[in-house]
Amino acid sequence: MSETPSPRWARFGSEARRLRTEKRWSQGELGKAVAVSKAMVSGIERGTRSPRKEHAEALDSVLEANGALVRLWSELADSRDVPEWFRDHLMLERRASEIRHYQPLLIPGLLQTGDYARSLIRARRVHADGNSVEHMVRARTERLQALADPHPLLWFVMDEVVISRVIGDEKIMGGQLDHLVSLADPGAVRIQVIPTTQDHPGLCAPFRLLTLSSAQTVLYAEHMMGGETVDTADRVGEAMTLFGQLQAEALPPRASLERIREVRESL
């Protein structure tokens, strides 16, 4: 059995250890309370043993975590098909009350259909087997459903090339544009499209702004090998100003929705 801690499950173990320490229990005492060995408790806390759902439920109950450990277990289990560099950001995404996303290249991941995501993943990961691809597709397309309840404010600004570039084939792209309309039409998601022009303030890499509380917003800046989460006030403020400029350059949400429909009809 491997004694190398899993970075993913070490997070769960750290929280379980904190709760156990608060109750002033030994690992042996906690093990008896949840009907597992002291060695198992030790392994869970160190991240060398992967807890099952029933372990998370039992620990949550006896440590009086009010569902926090079960929710953490679910988040970590769901992230197994998410790249390591994106996992911390995924946790922040699920806590956010507002998400603002600028995308100059592709449909944002939160809004992708399975067929669209599958086309992108197969193009990027040419050696991945079918099962791996499907796991990654599911992890990406289920992100929207996993967001906090009540649903956070979701505001997307994208270049017109994002909706006009055909990914996969015309059928796949048509289904993707239909999906955007189905999300934006009732107002659950706000989308703005920047008309094709020679230049505008957003000729840069994609970025996201996540509001976690009234006093905390973080920036996630994407690049070729992943992304970087930034919480310094000056850089977050700069990104917020840029996002406002991009909104001003873009069509209003209603006109953007009509533009998406026009592109869909032209396929």
Side-chain angles (χ1 to χ4, degrees):
M1 184 178 300
S2 174
E3 289 299 312
T4 302
S6 160
R8 176 158 50 105
W9 292 116
R11 299 173 191 167
F12 181 91
S14 177
E15 181 62 12
R17 181 170 57 250
R18 183 186 68 80
L19 292 168
R20 174 180 63 79
T21 302
E22 285 183 356
K23 294 184 78 70
R24 299 183 179 180
W25 285 2
S26 68
Q27 291 180 339
E29 289 171 329
L30 179 57
K32 289 181 180 179
V34 296
V36 300
S37 67
K38 176 183 175 181
M40 182 65 175
V41 172
S42 176
I44 289 174
E45 290 188 353
R46 289 183 290 118
T48 60
R49 300 289 296 271
S50 302
R52 296 193 299 270
K53 186 176 182 180
E54 55 264 33
H55 293 147
E57 291 172 342
L59 289 167
D60 191 282
S61 177
V62 301
L63 294 174
E64 299 178 315
N66 297 318
L69 280 179
V70 173
R71 289 192 295 272
L72 178 59
W73 182 91
S74 297
E75 290 175 356
L76 294 171
D78 289 345
S79 72
R80 63 190 179 276
D81 299 311
V82 175
E84 183 68 34
W85 51 263
F86 194 68
R87 287 174 183 166
D88 287 341
H89 180 74
L90 186 62
M91 300 305 164
L92 295 177
E93 179 181 272
R94 294 181 178 183
R95 289 173 45 203
S97 60
E98 298 180 8
I99 298 175
R100 293 173 170 84
H101 190 162
Y102 170 62
Q103 177 54 261
L105 300 172
L106 300 166
I107 301 295
L110 277 170
L111 307 182
Q112 290 178 12
T113 64
D115 287 338
Y116 186 97
R118 189 175 295 106
S119 297
L120 292 176
I121 292 168
R122 283 177 173 165
R124 182 69 183 270
R125 299 176 179 267
V126 294
H127 299 299
D129 62 57
N131 287 336
S132 297
V133 170
E134 290 309 309
H135 283 313
M136 287 184 278
V137 169
R138 186 165 59 251
R140 184 175 301 182
T141 56
E142 290 178 354
R143 281 169 52 201
L144 188 61
Q145 302 172 11
L147 293 181
D149 188 21
H151 207 291
L153 169 68
L154 298 173
W155 203 310
F156 299 88
V157 176
M158 58 187 78
D159 274 4
E160 189 168 357
V161 69
V162 172
I163 62 172
S164 61
R165 176 188 289 117
V166 175
I167 299 296
D169 56 34
E170 292 184 350
K171 181 179 179 181
I172 289 172
M173 195 64 202
Q176 176 63 72
L177 295 179
D178 288 340
H179 184 58
L180 292 184
V181 170
S182 71
L183 292 172
D185 199 19
V189 174
R190 296 185 180 184
I191 298 173
Q192 287 186 261
V193 174
I194 301 178
T196 302
T197 57
Q198 288 189 345
D199 58 68
H200 61 73
L203 296 177
C204 62
F207 67 91
R208 312 173 84 209
L209 289 159
L210 286 76
T211 299
L212 306 177
S213 69
S214 60
Q216 185 181 21
T217 297
V218 299
L219 163 67
Y220 183 75
E222 298 183 29
H223 53 70
M224 183 184 71
M225 300 305 295
E228 174 188 10
T229 300
V230 179
D231 60 3
T232 55
D234 56 342
R235 295 183 67 184
V236 171
E238 182 179 349
M240 292 179 71
T241 298
L242 176 56
F243 193 85
Q245 292 174 316
L246 293 168
Q247 287 179 292
E249 293 281 346
L251 298 171
R254 188 178 298 276
S256 295
L257 185 57
E258 289 306 311
R259 181 61 186 137
I260 294 171
R261 288 190 173 112
E262 290 171 3
V263 173
R264 172 67 179 97
E265 291 173 2
S266 70
L267 291 177

